[in-house]
Amino acid sequence: MSRIARLSDVLINKIAAGEVVERPASVVKELCENSLDAGARTVRVELEGGGVGRITISDDGHGMNREDATLCLERHATSKLRELDDLFHIDSMGFRGEAIPAIASVSRFTLHTAEPEAHEGTKIHVEGGGPPTVEDAPPRVGTVITVEDLFFNVPARRKFMRQGATELKHCEESVVRLALAHPEVGFFATHEGHELFASPASEHDPRERIAAALGPASFPHLFPVEERRLGVSVTGYLASPEYTLPNARGLYTFVNRRYIRDRGLISTVQRAFQDFLPAGRQPVVVLHIDVEPRAVDVNVHPQKQEVRFADARGVQDAVSAALSRVLRASPWLGTPEQQAANPPPRDAAHYAHAVERFLTRAQEATWGAPLPTAMDGPGPSQPARPLSPSYFAPPGGGAPGPFPGPAMPGRTLGFGEAQPQLNEAPPPGYFVALRPMGLLGSRFHVCEGPGGTLVVLDPHAALERARLTAYLRRLDEGTKAPAPSLFGTTVELSLAAVKSLVDGREALLLLGVDVEPFGGTALALKSVPPGLEGVDPRALLEALSRALPPRSAPLDVTSLAEAVRVMACHAARRASATPLTDAQLRALLGELDRADFTPPCTHGTVVVLEMPLLELERRAR
Ligand SMILES: Nc1ncnc2c1ncn2[C@@H]1O[C@H](COP(=O)(O)OP(=O)(O)OP(=O)(O)O)[C@@H](O)[C@H]1O
Ligand SMILES: [Mg+2]
C-alpha cells in the first residue's frame, strides 16, 4: 500500500483554518477585511456568545454574483491577485483566497450576497466544510455572512476557547484596529443586542475615530504626528504624557492601513517616549506608516500581522523623527510663550555627559586612550541617562538646533554616534554663520555658534551628510549619464561581487558609477561621481555589490537608498582622513546649509555638537 495519500479539500481547509482562524476575533478580522476590500462604506458586526455562538458581518460593498459567491468558498479563489508580480504591490487587505473556505470548514457558514442592481441575490450555506447548498435569495445591498458555532467540528480547538468575555474582548479589539485604520468607513458592533462600538465615518477629524476607539477621555490629549520622507510617510496621533497606560495596548502601528505588530517599530516608539513617561507607563500612539507596496512584504505571517520592510531602519528612523519632533516641542505644555515663561529645568548632567563623550572621542582619535575628565573627579558619578530633547531649546526659545543624542540603555554613546533624529536640519543659514576657531584633536572643528554657543563639528559626519544629499539629488533628477570623471582603474573582486555589480550595472549608472567586466573576476571602474575619486576602489565596489537591490526590484530611491549611503560613507571616509583646510571647511559649511537632513546615513552620526556657553560656565564654577 502506498504510504502517501493526497489530503481531502475539507482536511486541507481545516489545516489552513488552524493558522488563519485562531479564535472568533480572527473571523471578525477576516470578514471585515473582505468588506473593506469590497469598498464598503459601513460595516456592521453582531456577536453572540462572545463570538463563539454567532458572528454576523454585513456590509454595503459591491457584493458578488452567483458564480463568484460559489467560487469564493473554494481554496485559493481570490479576486485580488492574478499574477506573481501582484504579490509585490498588494493594496488590498486579502490576497491569499483562503479565509472564507477556512472559516466555512470550521463553522456553520451562511453567505447572502448580491451585486448592485441585480434582480436576485444568492444564499449559500456550508456546514463544517461540507458541500455548499446554493439557493436564490432576495436582492440586497452588499454582503452578509453569518458564522455560527465556531469550531463545532474541531473539539480540540473549541476546548481552547476562553471564557466568552475574553473572546468578546478580542473581537472588540479586532473591530477597534480595523476602525482606527479606516476612519472613512463607519463601524458598528453589538454583542447580544448591546452596543460595543459605534463610529460613523469620520473623515474630517481623525481624532473622533481615535476617541471612539480608545475612549473619549483621550481626545484632548491627542497631538498630530507627521513626517514625510522619500518612500515613507508617518502620520497619526500621539497622546501627551498625561494620558498613558500601564501596558502597551494603546500602541497601534499600521503599515499601509494594516494593523501590524513589529518589534522594531514598537521599541522605536517606546524609545522615543522613554524620557517623557514615568516608569511603568506606556504611551498611547496611533501611527500610520505608509510605504510603497513594493517596499514591504506583507506575505510573511498567516494572519498578516507582521511584515518585512525593504528598509526597516529607514522606517524606524522616520517614526523616531516624527515622534521626537512632537515630544520635543511639548505642545501640551502650552504655547511657546507660556513655555518660555516657565522653562523646564536644565539638567547639567546632560551637558556634562555631552562634553565627556566628545572629549573621549577626540582623545581616542588623537592618542588612542581616553583622557581623565571632570566626570572622573570626586562626587557622585552621573548615570548615562538619555537626554531629554525638551532641554535643547536654545536660550531665547528659538528652534532647537542639532545636538548630541541620547545614550542607549546600558551603553554610553560616543560622540557622533547619537540617534539619527538629531541630525535634523538646523535653522537656515546656521552653518555659514559659524565662526571657526580651530582644530581639536587634529580633527574636530571648534566654532563659535549663534547666541554665544560652542559648536563642535565632526568633519566625517558633515561630509557624509553633504555627499548623501548630493547623491540623492542626482538620483532624484534621474541623470543617466555617468558623471564625467578622470578616474579609471581595474580591480580584482570576489566572484559574487562581480556578478552582483554586472547585474546591477543599470542601477550603478543611475548612481553615477560606471563599471565594465574586464574578464574573470576583474572589473574596470570607469567613472564615479564627484567626491569618490581616490577612494579605495576595491572596498567601495565590494560594499556596493552588497548594497545593490535584487535584480527584480524597481530602480527607485527606496531600493537604491542603501547603495547611496555606502557611497556617502566612503566619500566621507576618504575626505576626513586629513584635516580640512579653511577653504574646504567654508565650502563644506555652505553645502551643509543646503543639505537635506532627513534621510538617515550609514552611521546616523551627529554633524555638530552644540553647547550653550552659559552652561559650560556653570560647570566650570
Ligand atoms: N464581503 C464581500 N464582498 C464582496 N466580495 C467578497 C466579500 N467577501 C469575500 N469576497 C470575495 O471572495 C473572495 C475570497 O475571500 P477570502 O477572504 O477567502 O480571500 P481573499 O480576501 O481574496 O484573501 P485572504 O485569504 O488573504 O483574505 C475575495 O477575493 C472576494 O472576491
Ligand atoms: Mg479575505
Side-chain angles (χ1 to χ4, degrees), residues 233-368:
S233 109
V234 181
T235 53
Y237 284 83
L238 62 77
S240 65
E242 294 125 38
Y243 189 84
T244 59
L245 287 178
N247 50 42
R249 293 247 298 273
L251 220 156
Y252 290 91
T253 44
F254 300 92
V255 175
N256 293 355
R257 312 252 265 162
R258 204 184 280 285
Y259 174 81
I260 292 298
R261 258 191 114 74
D262 177 276
R263 261 199 221 178
L265 280 181
I266 291 174
S267 49
T268 302
V269 173
Q270 289 170 328
R271 265 208 305 279
F273 271 90
Q274 67 184 1
D275 213 19
F276 294 86
L277 300 187
R281 301 301 292 181
Q282 293 280 343
V284 172
V285 174
V286 176
L287 278 187
H288 299 280
I289 297 152
D290 290 287
V291 294
E292 268 187 54
R294 278 183 182 278
V296 58
D297 187 355
V298 291
N299 190 22
V300 294
H301 185 266
Q303 288 152 33
K304 312 185 189 95
Q305 286 198 2
E306 287 168 20
V307 292
R308 198 171 294 133
F309 292 108
D311 179 15
R313 194 163 141 206
V315 171
Q316 288 169 15
D317 289 345
V319 167
S320 173
L323 296 174
S324 301
R325 179 166 316 130
V326 180
L327 288 168
R328 196 179 322 155
S330 310
W332 46 88
L333 295 181
T335 60
E337 296 76 46
Q338 287 165 334
Q339 284 186 47
N342 191 13
R346 283 180 183 273
D347 186 345
H350 292 326
Y351 292 105
H353 262 277
V355 175
E356 186 201 36
R357 285 202 301 268
F358 168 72
L359 289 176
T360 309
R361 172 88 179 263
Q363 171 66 11
E364 279 168 359
T366 321
W367 293 284

Side-chain angles (χ1 to χ4, degrees), residues 64-138:
M64 284 177 272
N65 62 23
R66 175 121 352 143
E67 195 187 342
D68 283 350
T70 320
L71 207 55
C72 82
L73 283 151
E74 282 180 29
R75 194 157 150 79
H76 305 312
T78 177
S79 55
K80 303 166 193 174
L81 202 68
R82 284 282 182 275
E83 295 168 7
L84 176 66
D85 201 40
D86 296 342
L87 198 53
F88 303 109
H89 44 86
I90 284 166
D91 57 4
S92 53
M93 305 300 291
F95 52 86
R96 295 192 186 125
E98 62 182 10
I100 288 197
I103 294 167
S105 74
V106 291
S107 68
R108 300 184 217 281
F109 177 96
T110 313
L111 160 83
H112 177 186
T113 187
E115 279 191 322
E117 320 282 319
H119 297 299
E120 201 154 48
T122 303
K123 202 168 206 172
I124 302 186
H125 183 75
V126 178
E127 290 269 323
T133 52
V134 183
E135 55 187 274
D136 292 343

